[in-house]
Amino acid sequence: MPMRNTKIKIILDYNKIIPFLVDMRNLKKCIKKICEFIDAKGYLEVKLTKDAEIEKLNKDFLKLEGPTNVLSFPGDEQDFLGSICISIDAIKRESNLYMQDPKEYFYRMIVHGILHLCGFQHGDVMYNTTDSILEHIKGEGCI
C-alpha cells in the first residue's frame, strides 16, 4: 500500500543520544506508517529535544511546572497536522522507571503525541489505539 500524503520534518535539538533509541533513516518511515494507520494526513513536525526545552514549552503553553515526555501542538492550517515535541531525557528516564525498552517507549510517545493531534484524549480508546498502532509498526519492522 502506498504511503499517504504525510510530510514529516524532524528537528533534532539533542542528537547525541538519538542513535541509542532509533535509526534516524527509519524514523520518518515509521512515523508515516503510524499516520497511515490512523489516516492522519498533512505536514507534521517532530522535535526531539531535552528536558530543559520541553520544560520551558510546558510552562509557556500549558502553565505547568517541570519537564514532561511529550507535548502536542495541533496545527492551525488545513494541511498542517501539528507539532510534537519529545524529551529524550524523559524517554531515557521513564523507560528505565517503567522497565520498558527505550525504543518501544520512544515510539509509544510518538504515537501518543500524534493521537493527541488527531483529537484523541486520554482514556481507554486512546490507550487501545496506541497498543494497536505499536503492534502494527512492530510488524512493519519499526520496533
Side-chain angles (χ1 to χ4, degrees):
M1 179 184 286
M3 295 286 180
R4 297 273 199 291
N5 291 338
T6 302
K7 296 178 185 171
I8 300 161
K9 179 179 181 182
I10 309 285
I11 302 166
L12 292 178
D13 236 14
Y14 195 23
N15 60 6
K16 291 181 183 174
I17 63 169
I18 298 303
F20 155 74
L21 289 173
V22 66
D23 174 1
M24 292 305 294
R25 296 171 299 197
N26 199 38
L27 181 57
K28 281 187 181 181
K29 179 184 99 172
C30 294
I31 292 172
K32 284 186 179 193
K33 290 193 178 294
I34 293 165
C35 290
E36 179 182 280
F37 189 87
I38 55 174
D39 201 30
K41 299 174 188 160
Y43 176 66
L44 172 66
E45 282 185 343
V46 178
K47 184 174 187 178
L48 306 177
T49 192
K50 48 191 163 192
D51 274 350
E53 173 68 16
I54 208 163
E55 181 174 10
K56 183 180 181 327
L57 292 170
N58 205 19
K59 183 170 184 154
D60 291 350
F61 290 97
L62 298 178
K63 308 299 184 226
L64 296 172
E65 295 293 327
T68 188
N69 46 28
V70 61
L71 291 172
S72 298
F73 302 97
D76 55 3
E77 300 170 18
Q78 183 178 355
D79 293 335
F80 182 49
L81 187 58
S83 299
I84 61 173
C85 185
I86 296 177
S87 170
I88 299 303
D89 293 331
I91 298 301
K92 286 181 70 178
R93 182 176 56 252
E94 292 176 7
S95 65
N96 189 30
L97 178 68
Y98 302 136
M99 295 185 290
Q100 293 187 11
D101 174 67
K103 185 175 179 180
E104 184 170 339
Y105 190 70
F106 171 75
Y107 277 106
R108 181 173 292 280
M109 291 302 101
I110 294 264
V111 170
H112 188 88
I114 292 171
L115 288 177
H116 274 309
L117 294 179
C118 293
F120 283 75
Q121 298 299 317
H122 293 160
D124 289 343
V125 172
M126 182 180 207
Y127 304 138
N128 292 336
T129 303
T130 298
D131 290 341
S132 295
I133 293 170
L134 287 171
E135 286 303 313
H136 173 71
I137 64 174
K138 280 181 189 177
E140 295 286 331
C142 291
I143 298 176

